[in-house]
């Protein structure tokens, strides 16, 4: 079946990031439809001999299943000192390369793997770019069952509206850790770092979908090609065509 334009762009971004993978690396394998392209491509490069001695750290149970199917040997964060490169997608990206992630519900493990990584390459199509986080996508907040309604009320007191994420059958969605997800329509976020700190300090919140200062590389697929944006040590962003 021919890929749609959006699927073509996802594959383009994934291919550009996978070009960073070198033999002997520990690779963080992200979750989601765009990251899945990267996982399959890494498996193909292993199969045809372009890569060797690669091990993957999956960010979700679904990613682990896909990686095994692709023939990628797996490990865990407990078994490695650090991850050389993580390749993952994002739901929304602002001009400073801050992200909203968690549309698939894997935000906790994704953030743990990203924080353990020397380099984090985010792969998106151009539709994911936004002038401010929260403009186009809700902010996922992973919470424990106890007091989840109280947590939802607290979030709403900060502005916006909150909805408990449900599965297709109407039952509450559960993360791989067994937690709930509150999708918070908070509106444009003027200071992602400050909001991240405020959410992290609230008891009952396990993790949130704000990924600030974690992405080192951003691959944006557009009809004319893929842009590679990199964050330097001084915090500026360089654009490579």
């Amino acid at each position: 079946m021919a890929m749609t334009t959006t699927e073509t762009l996802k594959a383009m971004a994934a291919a550009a990031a996978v070009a960073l993978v070198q033999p002997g690396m520990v690779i963080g394998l992200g979750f989601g439809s765009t990251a899945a392209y990267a996982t399959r491509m890494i498996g193909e490069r292993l199969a045809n001999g372009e890569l060797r001695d690669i091990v993957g750290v999956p960010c979700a149970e679904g990613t682990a299943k896909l990686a095994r199917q692709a023939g990628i040997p797996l490990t865990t964060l407990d078994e490695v000192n650090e991850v050389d490169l993580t390749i993952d997608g994002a739901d929304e990206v602002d001009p400073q390369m801050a992200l909203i992630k968690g549309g698939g519900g894997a935000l906790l493990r994704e953030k743990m793997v990203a924080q353990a990584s020397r380099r984090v390459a985010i792969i998106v199509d151009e539709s994911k770019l936004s002038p401010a986080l929260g403009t186009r996508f809700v902010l996922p907040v992973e919470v424990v069952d106890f007091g989840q309604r109280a947590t939802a009320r607290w979030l709403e007191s900060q502005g916006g509206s909150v909805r408990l994420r449900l599965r297709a059958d109407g039952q509450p969605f559960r993360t791989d850790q067994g937690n709930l997800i509150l999708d918070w329509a908070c509106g444009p976020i003027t200071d992602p770092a400050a909001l991240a700190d405020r959410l992290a300090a609230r008891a009952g919140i396990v993790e949130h979908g704000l990924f600030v200062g974690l992405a080192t590389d951003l691959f944006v697929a557009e009809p004319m090609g893929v842009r590679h944006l990199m964050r330097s040590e001084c915090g500026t962003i360089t654009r490579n065509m």
Side-chain angles (χ1 to χ4, degrees), residues 149-171:
R149 291 180 183 174
T151 301
R153 289 194 297 270
W154 179 81
L155 289 173
E156 289 184 331
S157 75
Q158 310 299 301
S161 61
V162 175
R163 178 173 295 181
L164 177 67
R165 186 178 298 185
L166 302 177
R167 303 184 321 210
D169 63 3
Q171 294 300 306

Side-chain angles (χ1 to χ4, degrees), residues 188-199:
I189 301 169
T190 57
D191 190 340
L195 179 57
D197 289 343
R198 195 156 72 246
L199 293 173

Side-chain angles (χ1 to χ4, degrees), residues 58-162:
C59 293
E61 296 300 325
T63 302
K65 179 179 179 180
L66 177 62
R68 292 188 189 99
Q69 293 171 347
I72 302 174
L74 298 181
T75 186
T76 68
L77 282 182
D78 290 334
E79 297 171 324
V80 297
N81 291 325
E82 67 177 355
V83 177
D84 295 298
L85 169 69
T86 287
I87 301 177
D88 206 350
D91 300 307
E92 194 171 17
V93 184
D94 77 4
Q96 287 71 47
M97 286 170 58
L99 321 169
I100 283 181
K101 291 176 53 57
L107 60 159
L108 174 58
R109 294 190 187 183
E110 286 176 323
K111 189 172 288 187
M112 291 178 69
V113 174
Q115 289 177 340
S117 301
R118 294 177 53 248
R119 197 171 183 182
V120 178
I122 298 299
I123 51 178
V124 296
D125 64 84
E126 59 182 349
S127 71
K128 303 296 187 179
L129 301 182
S130 176
L133 298 182
T135 302
R136 300 179 179 177
F137 204 83
V138 298
L139 177 59
V141 181
E142 185 167 346
V143 302
V144 297
D145 286 58
F146 180 80
Q148 62 94 358
R149 291 180 183 174
T151 301
R153 289 194 297 270
W154 179 81
L155 289 173
E156 289 184 331
S157 75
Q158 310 299 301
S161 61
V162 175

